[in-house]
C-alpha cells in the first residue's frame, strides 16, 4: 500500500495533515507500518471506532490504532504525531 493510496482512503474521513511511511526498499516492505495524521482532533478516534480493519483497496487491508504521545515530550513515534497508526497492513 502506497502513501498515495493511504491518503486517498483516509482522506475520506477528514483533512489529512500528513501521511508517513517509514523506511525504504526491503526494510519498508518488511516493516509494513505507516502513520496518518489528521488536522482535526478526534478524527482518528472516529476511524478506530468504525473498526480495526479497513480495506484500502481490493485485497489490501490495514489494521488501525491510535498513536500515543510519548510521556514528557508530546510526540508519538518521534514525529509529533497526533493521528493514527495504520500499521499492520495486509496484501
Amino acid at each position: 500500500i502506497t502513501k498515495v493510496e493511504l491518503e486517498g482512503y483516509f482522506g475520506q474521513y477528514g483533512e489529512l495533515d500528513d501521511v508517513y511511511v517509514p523506511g525504504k526498499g526491503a526494510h519498508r516492505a518488511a516493516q509494513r507500518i505507516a502513520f496518518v495524521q489528521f488536522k482535526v482532533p478526534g478524527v482518528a478516534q472516529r476511524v478506530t471506532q468504525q473498526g480495526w480493519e479497513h480495506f484500502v483497496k481490493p485485497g489490501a487491508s490495514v489494521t488501525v490504532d491510535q498513536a500515543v504521545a510519548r510521556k514528557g515530550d508530546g510526540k508519538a513515534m518521534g514525529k509529533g504525531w497526533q493521528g493514527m497508526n495504520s500499521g499492520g497492513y495486509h496484501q
Side-chain angles (χ1 to χ4, degrees):
I1 297 175
T2 67
K3 178 180 177 179
V4 171
E5 291 168 331
L6 291 170
E7 290 170 339
Y9 179 80
F10 288 107
Q12 70 182 324
Y13 293 100
E15 190 174 357
L16 300 175
D17 193 32
D18 197 7
V19 174
Y20 174 60
V21 182
K24 291 185 178 183
H27 176 71
R28 178 177 169 182
Q31 192 171 13
R32 292 188 164 199
I33 191 167
F35 299 90
V36 175
Q37 183 176 6
F38 294 94
K39 287 193 178 208
V40 177
V43 174
Q45 182 179 10
R46 190 175 64 214
V47 173
T48 58
Q49 288 174 342
Q50 292 183 4
W52 295 106
E53 186 172 28
H54 291 257
F55 288 89
V56 174
K57 64 181 184 178
S61 66
V62 296
T63 303
V64 299
D65 196 359
Q66 291 189 56
V68 180
R70 293 187 307 198
K71 187 176 182 179
D73 68 5
K75 295 179 182 177
M77 307 309 289
K79 302 263 316 156
W81 292 93
Q82 301 298 318
M84 177 179 95
N85 169 354
S86 63
Y89 59 84
H90 310 283
Q91 290 186 324

Coordinates of all heavy atoms in Angstrom, one line a residue:
I1 N 0.9 -1.2 0.0 CA 0.0 0.0 0.0 C 0.9 1.2 0.0 O 1.8 1.3 0.8 CB -0.9 0.0 1.2 CG1 -1.9 -1.2 1.2 CG2 -1.7 1.3 1.3 CD1 -2.7 -1.4 2.4
T2 N 0.6 2.2 -0.9 CA 1.4 3.3 -1.0 C 0.9 4.5 -0.2 O -0.2 4.5 0.3 CB 1.5 3.8 -2.5 OG1 0.2 4.2 -2.9 CG2 1.9 2.6 -3.4
K3 N 1.7 5.5 -0.1 CA 1.4 6.8 0.6 C 0.1 7.4 -0.1 O -0.8 7.8 0.6 CB 2.5 7.7 0.6 CG 2.2 9.1 1.3 CD 3.4 10.0 1.3 CE 3.0 11.3 1.9 NZ 4.1 12.3 1.9
V4 N 0.2 7.4 -1.4 CA -1.0 8.0 -2.2 C -2.3 7.2 -1.9 O -3.3 7.8 -1.7 CB -0.6 8.0 -3.7 CG1 -1.8 8.4 -4.5 CG2 0.5 8.9 -3.9
E5 N -2.2 5.9 -1.8 CA -3.4 5.1 -1.5 C -3.9 5.3 -0.1 O -5.1 5.4 0.1 CB -3.1 3.6 -1.7 CG -2.8 3.2 -3.2 CD -2.3 1.8 -3.4 OE1 -1.5 1.3 -2.5 OE2 -2.5 1.2 -4.4
L6 N -3.0 5.5 0.8 CA -3.4 5.8 2.2 C -4.0 7.2 2.3 O -5.1 7.4 2.9 CB -2.2 5.7 3.1 CG -1.7 4.3 3.4 CD1 -0.3 4.4 4.2 CD2 -2.7 3.5 4.2
E7 N -3.5 8.1 1.5 CA -4.1 9.5 1.5 C -5.5 9.5 0.9 O -6.4 10.1 1.4 CB -3.2 10.4 0.7 CG -1.9 10.8 1.4 CD -0.9 11.5 0.4 OE1 -1.0 11.4 -0.8 OE2 0.0 12.1 1.0
G8 N -5.6 8.7 -0.2 CA -6.9 8.6 -0.8 C -8.0 8.0 0.1 O -9.1 8.5 0.2
Y9 N -7.6 6.9 0.8 CA -8.5 6.2 1.6 C -8.9 7.0 2.9 O -10.0 7.3 3.2 CB -8.0 4.8 2.0 CG -9.0 4.1 2.9 CD1 -10.1 3.4 2.4 CD2 -8.8 4.1 4.3 CE1 -11.0 2.8 3.2 CE2 -9.7 3.5 5.1 CZ -10.8 2.8 4.6 OH -11.7 2.2 5.4
F10 N -7.9 7.4 3.6 CA -8.1 8.1 4.9 C -8.6 9.5 4.8 O -9.2 10.1 5.7 CB -6.9 8.0 5.9 CG -6.7 6.6 6.4 CD1 -5.7 5.7 5.9 CD2 -7.6 6.0 7.3 CE1 -5.6 4.4 6.4 CE2 -7.5 4.7 7.8 CZ -6.5 3.9 7.3
G11 N -8.3 10.1 3.6 CA -8.8 11.4 3.3 C -10.3 11.5 3.3 O -10.9 12.6 3.5
Q12 N -11.0 10.4 3.1 CA -12.5 10.4 3.1 C -13.0 10.7 4.5 O -14.2 11.1 4.7 CB -13.0 9.1 2.6 CG -12.8 7.9 3.5 CD -13.4 6.6 2.9 OE1 -14.4 6.6 2.3 NE2 -12.6 5.5 3.2
Y13 N -12.2 10.5 5.6 CA -12.7 10.7 6.9 C -12.4 12.2 7.4 O -13.0 12.6 8.4 CB -11.9 9.8 7.9 CG -12.4 8.3 7.6 CD1 -11.5 7.5 6.9 CD2 -13.6 7.8 8.1 CE1 -11.9 6.2 6.7 CE2 -13.9 6.5 7.9 CZ -13.1 5.7 7.2 OH -13.5 4.4 6.9
G14 N -11.5 12.9 6.8 CA -11.2 14.2 7.2 C -9.9 14.7 6.6 O -9.2 13.9 6.0
E15 N -9.7 16.0 6.7 CA -8.5 16.5 6.1 C -7.2 16.0 6.8 O -7.1 15.9 8.0 CB -8.5 18.1 6.2 CG -7.4 18.7 5.4 CD -7.6 20.3 5.4 OE1 -8.5 20.8 6.0 OE2 -6.7 20.9 4.8
L16 N -6.3 15.6 5.9 CA -5.0 15.0 6.5 C -4.0 16.1 6.6 O -3.8 17.0 5.8 CB -4.5 13.9 5.5 CG -5.4 12.7 5.2 CD1 -4.8 11.8 4.2 CD2 -5.7 12.0 6.5
D17 N -3.2 15.9 7.7 CA -2.1 16.8 7.9 C -0.8 16.2 7.3 O 0.0 16.9 6.7 CB -1.9 17.0 9.4 CG -0.9 18.2 9.7 OD1 -0.9 19.1 8.9 OD2 -0.2 18.1 10.7
D18 N -0.7 14.9 7.4 CA 0.5 14.2 6.9 C 0.2 12.7 6.9 O -0.6 12.1 7.6 CB 1.7 14.5 7.7 CG 3.0 14.2 7.0 OD1 3.0 13.8 5.8 OD2 4.1 14.3 7.7
V19 N 0.9 12.0 6.0 CA 1.0 10.6 5.9 C 2.4 10.2 5.8 O 3.2 10.7 5.0 CB 0.2 10.0 4.7 CG1 0.4 8.5 4.6 CG2 -1.3 10.3 4.8
Y20 N 2.9 9.4 6.7 CA 4.3 9.0 6.8 C 4.4 7.5 6.7 O 3.8 6.7 7.5 CB 4.9 9.5 8.1 CG 6.3 9.1 8.4 CD1 7.4 9.4 7.6 CD2 6.6 8.3 9.5 CE1 8.7 9.0 7.8 CE2 7.9 7.9 9.8 CZ 8.9 8.3 9.0 OH 10.2 7.9 9.2
V21 N 5.2 7.0 5.7 CA 5.5 5.6 5.6 C 7.0 5.5 5.7 O 7.8 5.8 4.8 CB 5.0 5.1 4.2 CG1 5.3 3.6 4.1 CG2 3.6 5.4 4.0
P22 N 7.5 5.0 6.9 CA 8.9 5.0 7.1 C 9.7 3.9 6.4 O 9.0 2.9 6.0 CB 9.0 4.7 8.6 CG 7.8 4.0 9.0 CD 6.7 4.6 8.1
G23 N 10.9 4.1 6.2 CA 11.8 3.1 5.6 C 11.8 3.2 4.1 O 11.0 3.9 3.5
K24 N 12.7 2.4 3.5 CA 12.8 2.4 2.0 C 13.1 0.9 1.6 O 13.7 0.2 2.4 CB 13.9 3.3 1.5 CG 13.6 4.7 1.7 CD 14.7 5.6 1.1 CE 14.4 7.0 1.2 NZ 15.3 7.9 0.5
G25 N 12.8 0.6 0.4 CA 13.2 -0.7 -0.1 C 12.7 -1.9 0.7 O 11.5 -1.9 1.1
A26 N 13.5 -2.9 0.8 CA 13.2 -4.1 1.5 C 12.8 -3.9 3.0 O 11.9 -4.5 3.5 CB 14.3 -5.1 1.5
H27 N 13.4 -2.9 3.6 CA 13.1 -2.6 5.0 C 11.7 -2.1 5.1 O 10.9 -2.5 6.0 CB 14.1 -1.5 5.6 CG 13.7 -1.1 7.0 ND1 13.9 -1.9 8.1 CD2 13.2 0.1 7.4 CE1 13.5 -1.2 9.1 NE2 13.1 0.0 8.8
R28 N 11.3 -1.3 4.2 CA 9.9 -0.7 4.2 C 8.9 -1.9 4.0 O 7.9 -1.9 4.7 CB 9.7 0.3 3.1 CG 8.3 0.8 3.0 CD 8.3 1.9 2.0 NE 6.9 2.3 1.7 CZ 6.6 3.2 0.8 NH1 7.5 3.8 0.1 NH2 5.3 3.4 0.6
A29 N 9.1 -2.8 3.1 CA 8.2 -3.9 2.9 C 8.1 -4.8 4.1 O 7.1 -5.3 4.4 CB 8.7 -4.7 1.6
A30 N 9.2 -5.0 4.8 CA 9.2 -5.9 5.9 C 8.5 -5.2 7.1 O 7.9 -5.9 7.9 CB 10.7 -6.2 6.3
Q31 N 8.7 -3.9 7.3 CA 8.1 -3.2 8.4 C 6.6 -3.1 8.3 O 5.9 -3.2 9.3 CB 8.8 -1.8 8.6 CG 8.4 -1.2 9.9 CD 9.2 0.1 10.1 OE1 9.9 0.6 9.2 NE2 9.2 0.5 11.3
R32 N 6.1 -2.7 7.2 CA 4.7 -2.6 6.9 C 4.0 -1.8 8.0 O 3.0 -2.3 8.7 CB 4.0 -4.0 6.8 CG 4.4 -4.7 5.6 CD 3.6 -6.0 5.5 NE 3.8 -6.5 4.1 CZ 3.0 -7.3 3.5 NH1 1.9 -7.8 4.2 NH2 3.2 -7.7 2.3
I33 N 4.4 -0.6 8.1 CA 3.8 0.3 9.1 C 3.7 1.7 8.4 O 4.5 2.1 7.6 CB 4.6 0.4 10.4 CG1 3.8 1.1 11.5 CG2 5.9 1.0 10.2 CD1 4.3 0.9 12.9
A34 N 2.7 2.5 8.8 CA 2.5 3.8 8.3 C 1.8 4.6 9.4 O 1.2 4.1 10.3 CB 1.7 3.8 7.0
F35 N 1.9 6.0 9.3 CA 1.2 6.9 10.2 C 0.4 7.9 9.4 O 0.9 8.5 8.5 CB 2.3 7.5 11.1 CG 3.1 6.6 11.9 CD1 4.2 6.0 11.5 CD2 2.6 6.2 13.2 CE1 4.9 5.1 12.2 CE2 3.3 5.2 13.9 CZ 4.5 4.7 13.4
V36 N -0.8 8.1 9.9 CA -1.7 9.1 9.2 C -2.0 10.1 10.3 O -2.5 9.7 11.4 CB -3.0 8.4 8.7 CG1 -3.9 9.4 8.2 CG2 -2.6 7.3 7.7
Q37 N -1.9 11.4 10.0 CA -2.2 12.4 10.9 C -3.3 13.3 10.3 O -3.2 13.8 9.2 CB -1.0 13.3 11.2 CG -1.2 14.4 12.2 CD 0.0 15.2 12.6 OE1 1.1 15.0 12.0 NE2 -0.1 16.0 13.5
F38 N -4.4 13.5 11.1 CA -5.5 14.3 10.7 C -5.3 15.7 11.3 O -4.8 15.9 12.3 CB -6.8 13.7 11.2 CG -7.1 12.4 10.5 CD1 -6.8 11.2 11.2 CD2 -7.8 12.3 9.3 CE1 -7.0 9.9 10.6 CE2 -8.0 11.1 8.7 CZ -7.7 9.9 9.4
K39 N -5.9 16.7 10.5 CA -5.8 18.1 11.0 C -6.8 18.3 12.2 O -6.5 19.1 13.0 CB -6.1 19.0 9.9 CG -4.9 19.1 8.9 CD -5.1 20.3 7.9 CE -3.9 20.3 7.0 NZ -3.5 21.6 6.6
V40 N -7.9 17.7 12.2 CA -8.9 17.9 13.2 C -8.8 16.8 14.3 O -8.9 15.6 14.0 CB -10.3 17.9 12.6 CG1 -11.4 18.1 13.6 CG2 -10.4 18.9 11.5
P41 N -8.6 17.3 15.5 CA -8.6 16.3 16.6 C -9.9 15.5 16.7 O -11.0 16.0 16.4 CB -8.5 17.2 17.9 CG -7.9 18.5 17.4 CD -8.5 18.7 16.0
G42 N -9.7 14.2 17.0 CA -10.9 13.3 17.2 C -11.2 12.5 16.0 O -11.9 11.5 16.0
V43 N -10.7 12.9 14.8 CA -11.0 12.1 13.6 C -10.4 10.7 13.7 O -11.0 9.7 13.4 CB -10.5 12.8 12.3 CG1 -10.7 11.9 11.1 CG2 -11.2 14.1 12.1
A44 N -9.1 10.6 14.2 CA -8.5 9.3 14.3 C -9.3 8.3 15.2 O -9.5 7.2 14.9 CB -7.1 9.4 14.8
Q45 N -9.8 8.9 16.3 CA -10.7 8.1 17.2 C -11.9 7.6 16.5 O -12.3 6.5 16.7 CB -11.0 8.9 18.4 CG -11.8 8.2 19.4 CD -12.2 9.0 20.7 OE1 -12.0 10.2 20.7 NE2 -12.7 8.3 21.7
R46 N -12.5 8.5 15.7 CA -13.7 8.1 15.0 C -13.4 7.0 14.0 O -14.2 6.1 13.8 CB -14.3 9.3 14.2 CG -15.7 9.1 13.7 CD -16.3 10.3 13.0 NE -15.4 10.8 11.9 CZ -15.2 12.0 11.6 NH1 -15.8 13.0 12.2 NH2 -14.5 12.3 10.5
V47 N -12.3 7.0 13.3 CA -11.9 6.0 12.4 C -11.7 4.7 13.1 O -12.2 3.6 12.7 CB -10.6 6.4 11.6 CG1 -10.1 5.2 10.8 CG2 -10.8 7.6 10.8
T48 N -11.1 4.7 14.3 CA -10.9 3.4 15.0 C -12.2 2.9 15.6 O -12.3 1.7 15.7 CB -9.8 3.6 16.1 OG1 -10.2 4.6 17.0 CG2 -8.5 3.9 15.6
Q49 N -13.1 3.7 15.9 CA -14.4 3.3 16.4 C -15.2 2.6 15.3 O -16.1 1.8 15.6 CB -15.2 4.5 16.9 CG -14.7 5.0 18.3 CD -15.4 6.2 18.7 OE1 -16.0 6.9 17.9 NE2 -15.2 6.6 20.0
Q50 N -14.9 2.8 14.1 CA -15.6 2.1 13.0 C -15.0 0.7 12.7 O -15.4 0.0 11.8 CB -15.5 3.0 11.7 CG -16.3 4.2 11.8 CD -16.3 5.1 10.6 OE1 -15.8 4.6 9.5 NE2 -16.9 6.2 10.6
G51 N -14.0 0.3 13.5 CA -13.4 -1.0 13.3 C -11.9 -0.9 13.2 O -11.4 0.1 12.8
W52 N -11.3 -2.0 13.4 CA -9.8 -2.1 13.4 C -9.3 -2.4 12.0 O -8.2 -2.0 11.7 CB -9.3 -3.1 14.4 CG -9.6 -2.8 15.8 CD1 -10.5 -3.3 16.6 CD2 -9.0 -1.7 16.6 NE1 -10.5 -2.7 17.8 CE2 -9.6 -1.7 17.8 CE3 -8.0 -0.8 16.3 CZ2 -9.2 -0.8 18.8 CZ3 -7.6 0.1 17.3 CH2 -8.2 0.1 18.6
E53 N -10.1 -3.0 11.2 CA -9.6 -3.4 9.8 C -10.3 -2.5 8.8 O -11.5 -2.5 8.8 CB -9.8 -4.9 9.5 CG -9.2 -5.3 8.2 CD -9.3 -6.8 8.0 OE1 -10.2 -7.5 8.6 OE2 -8.4 -7.3 7.3
H54 N -9.5 -1.9 8.0 CA -10.1 -1.1 6.9 C -9.4 -1.5 5.6 O -8.2 -1.8 5.5 CB -9.7 0.4 7.1 CG -10.4 1.0 8.3 ND1 -11.5 1.8 8.1 CD2 -10.2 0.8 9.6 CE1 -11.9 2.2 9.3 NE2 -11.2 1.6 10.2
F55 N -10.3 -1.7 4.5 CA -9.8 -2.2 3.2 C -9.5 -0.9 2.4 O -10.4 -0.3 1.9 CB -10.9 -3.1 2.6 CG -10.9 -4.4 3.3 CD1 -11.8 -4.6 4.3 CD2 -10.1 -5.4 2.9 CE1 -11.8 -5.8 5.0 CE2 -10.1 -6.7 3.5 CZ -11.0 -6.9 4.6
V56 N -8.2 -0.7 2.2 CA -7.8 0.5 1.5 C -8.0 0.3 0.0 O -8.3 1.2 -0.7 CB -6.3 0.8 1.8 CG1 -5.7 1.9 1.0 CG2 -6.1 1.1 3.3
K57 N -7.8 -0.9 -0.5 CA -8.0 -1.3 -1.9 C -8.4 -2.8 -1.9 O -8.1 -3.5 -0.9 CB -6.8 -1.0 -2.7 CG -5.6 -1.8 -2.4 CD -4.4 -1.4 -3.3 CE -3.2 -2.2 -3.0 NZ -2.1 -1.9 -3.9
P58 N -8.9 -3.3 -3.0 CA -9.3 -4.7 -3.0 C -8.1 -5.6 -2.7 O -7.0 -5.4 -3.3 CB -9.8 -4.9 -4.5 CG -10.3 -3.5 -4.9 CD -9.3 -2.6 -4.2
G59 N -8.2 -6.4 -1.8 CA -7.2 -7.4 -1.4 C -6.1 -6.8 -0.5 O -5.1 -7.5 -0.2
A60 N -6.3 -5.6 0.0 CA -5.3 -5.0 0.9 C -6.0 -4.2 2.0 O -6.7 -3.2 1.7 CB -4.4 -4.0 0.1
S61 N -5.8 -4.7 3.2 CA -6.4 -4.0 4.4 C -5.3 -3.5 5.3 O -4.2 -3.9 5.3 CB -7.3 -5.0 5.1 OG -6.6 -6.1 5.7
V62 N -5.8 -2.6 6.2 CA -4.9 -2.1 7.2 C -5.6 -2.3 8.6 O -6.8 -2.2 8.6 CB -4.5 -0.6 7.1 CG1 -3.7 -0.4 5.8 CG2 -5.7 0.3 7.1
T63 N -4.8 -2.6 9.6 CA -5.3 -2.6 10.9 C -4.9 -1.3 11.6 O -3.7 -0.9 11.6 CB -4.6 -3.8 11.7 OG1 -4.9 -5.0 11.0 CG2 -5.2 -3.9 13.1
V64 N -5.9 -0.6 12.1 CA -5.6 0.8 12.6 C -5.6 0.8 14.1 O -6.3 0.0 14.8 CB -6.6 1.8 12.1 CG1 -6.5 1.9 10.5 CG2 -8.0 1.5 12.5
D65 N -4.9 1.8 14.6 CA -4.8 2.0 16.1 C -4.3 3.5 16.2 O -3.7 4.0 15.3 CB -3.9 1.1 16.8 CG -4.0 1.1 18.3 OD1 -4.9 1.8 18.8 OD2 -3.3 0.3 18.9
Q66 N -4.6 4.1 17.3 CA -4.2 5.5 17.5 C -2.8 5.5 18.1 O -2.4 4.7 18.9 CB -5.1 6.2 18.5 CG -6.5 6.5 17.9 CD -7.3 7.4 18.7 OE1 -6.9 8.5 19.1 NE2 -8.5 6.9 19.1
A67 N -2.0 6.4 17.5 CA -0.6 6.6 18.1 C -0.8 7.4 19.4 O -1.6 8.3 19.5 CB 0.2 7.4 17.0
V68 N 0.1 7.1 20.3 CA 0.0 7.8 21.6 C 1.3 8.6 21.8 O 2.4 8.1 21.5 CB -0.1 6.7 22.7 CG1 -0.2 7.4 24.1 CG2 -1.4 5.9 22.5
A69 N 1.1 9.8 22.3 CA 2.3 10.7 22.6 C 3.2 10.1 23.6 O 2.7 9.5 24.6 CB 1.8 12.0 23.0
R70 N 4.5 10.2 23.4 CA 5.4 9.7 24.4 C 5.4 10.6 25.6 O 5.2 11.9 25.5 CB 6.9 9.8 23.8 CG 7.0 8.8 22.7 CD 8.5 8.7 22.3 NE 9.0 10.0 22.0 CZ 10.1 10.2 21.3 NH1 10.8 9.2 20.8 NH2 10.5 11.4 21.0
K71 N 5.5 10.1 26.8 CA 5.5 10.8 28.0 C 6.5 11.9 28.1 O 7.7 11.6 27.8 CB 5.7 9.9 29.2 CG 5.5 10.5 30.6 CD 5.6 9.5 31.7 CE 5.3 10.2 33.0 NZ 5.4 9.2 34.1
G72 N 6.1 13.1 28.4 CA 7.0 14.2 28.6 C 7.3 15.1 27.4 O 7.5 16.3 27.6
D73 N 7.2 14.6 26.1 CA 7.6 15.5 25.0 C 6.4 15.7 24.1 O 6.6 16.5 23.1 CB 8.8 15.0 24.3 CG 8.6 13.7 23.5 OD1 7.4 13.2 23.5 OD2 9.5 13.1 22.9
G74 N 5.3 15.1 24.3 CA 4.1 15.4 23.4 C 4.3 14.8 22.0 O 3.5 15.2 21.2
K75 N 5.2 13.9 21.8 CA 5.4 13.4 20.5 C 5.2 11.9 20.5 O 5.5 11.2 21.4 CB 6.9 13.6 20.0 CG 7.2 15.1 19.8 CD 8.6 15.3 19.4 CE 9.0 16.7 19.2 NZ 10.4 16.9 18.9
A76 N 4.6 11.4 19.4 CA 4.4 10.0 19.2 C 5.4 9.6 18.1 O 5.5 10.3 17.1 CB 3.0 9.7 18.8
M77 N 6.1 8.5 18.3 CA 7.0 8.0 17.3 C 8.1 9.0 16.8 O 8.6 8.9 15.7 CB 6.2 7.5 16.0 CG 5.1 6.5 16.3 SD 5.6 5.1 17.4 CE 6.6 4.2 16.2
G78 N 8.3 10.0 17.7 CA 9.4 10.9 17.4 C 9.1 11.9 16.4 O 9.9 12.7 15.9
K79 N 7.8 12.0 15.9 CA 7.5 12.9 14.8 C 6.3 13.9 15.2 O 5.8 14.6 14.3 CB 7.1 12.1 13.6 CG 8.1 11.2 13.1 CD 8.9 11.6 11.9 CE 8.2 12.3 10.8 NZ 9.1 13.2 10.1
G80 N 5.9 13.9 16.4 CA 4.8 14.8 16.8 C 3.5 14.3 16.3 O 2.6 15.1 16.1
W81 N 3.3 13.0 16.1 CA 2.0 12.5 15.6 C 0.9 12.6 16.5 O 1.0 12.2 17.7 CB 2.2 11.1 15.1 CG 3.1 11.1 13.9 CD1 4.5 10.9 13.9 CD2 2.8 11.3 12.6 NE1 5.0 11.0 12.7 CE2 4.0 11.2 11.8 CE3 1.6 11.5 11.9 CZ2 4.0 11.4 10.4 CZ3 1.7 11.7 10.5 CH2 2.9 11.6 9.8
Q82 N -0.2 13.1 16.1 CA -1.4 13.1 16.9 C -2.5 12.3 16.1 O -3.7 12.4 16.5 CB -1.9 14.6 17.1 CG -0.9 15.5 17.8 CD -0.6 15.0 19.2 OE1 -1.5 14.6 19.9 NE2 0.7 15.0 19.6
G83 N -2.1 11.7 15.2 CA -3.1 11.0 14.3 C -3.2 9.5 14.6 O -3.5 9.1 15.7
M84 N -3.0 8.7 13.6 CA -3.4 7.3 13.7 C -2.3 6.4 13.1 O -1.8 6.8 12.1 CB -4.7 7.1 13.0 CG -5.2 5.8 12.9 SD -6.8 5.9 12.0 CE -6.2 5.6 10.4
N85 N -2.0 5.4 13.7 CA -1.1 4.4 13.2 C -1.9 3.4 12.3 O -2.8 2.8 12.8 CB -0.4 3.7 14.4 CG 0.4 2.5 14.0 OD1 0.4 2.1 12.8 ND2 1.0 1.9 14.9
S86 N -1.5 3.4 11.1 CA -2.2 2.5 10.2 C -1.3 1.3 9.9 O -1.3 0.8 8.8 CB -2.7 3.2 8.9 OG -1.6 3.6 8.2
G87 N -0.6 0.9 10.9 CA 0.3 -0.2 10.7 C -0.4 -1.6 10.5 O -1.6 -1.7 10.7
G88 N 0.4 -2.5 10.2 CA -0.1 -3.9 10.1 C -0.9 -4.1 8.8 O -1.9 -4.8 8.8
Y89 N -0.6 -3.5 7.7 CA -1.4 -3.7 6.5 C -1.1 -5.0 5.9 O 0.0 -5.6 6.0 CB -1.3 -2.5 5.6 CG 0.0 -2.2 5.0 CD1 0.6 -2.8 3.9 CD2 0.8 -1.1 5.5 CE1 1.8 -2.5 3.4 CE2 2.0 -0.8 5.0 CZ 2.5 -1.4 3.9 OH 3.7 -1.1 3.4
H90 N -2.1 -5.5 5.3 CA -2.0 -6.9 4.7 C -2.4 -6.8 3.2 O -3.3 -6.2 2.8 CB -3.0 -7.8 5.4 CG -2.9 -7.8 6.9 ND1 -1.9 -8.4 7.6 CD2 -3.7 -7.1 7.8 CE1 -2.1 -8.2 8.8 NE2 -3.1 -7.4 9.0
Q91 N -1.6 -7.6 2.4 CA -2.0 -7.6 1.0 C -2.1 -9.1 0.6 O -1.6 -9.9 1.1 CB -0.9 -7.0 0.1 CG -0.8 -5.5 0.3 CD 0.2 -4.9 -0.7 OE1 1.2 -5.4 -1.0 NE2 -0.1 -3.7 -1.1

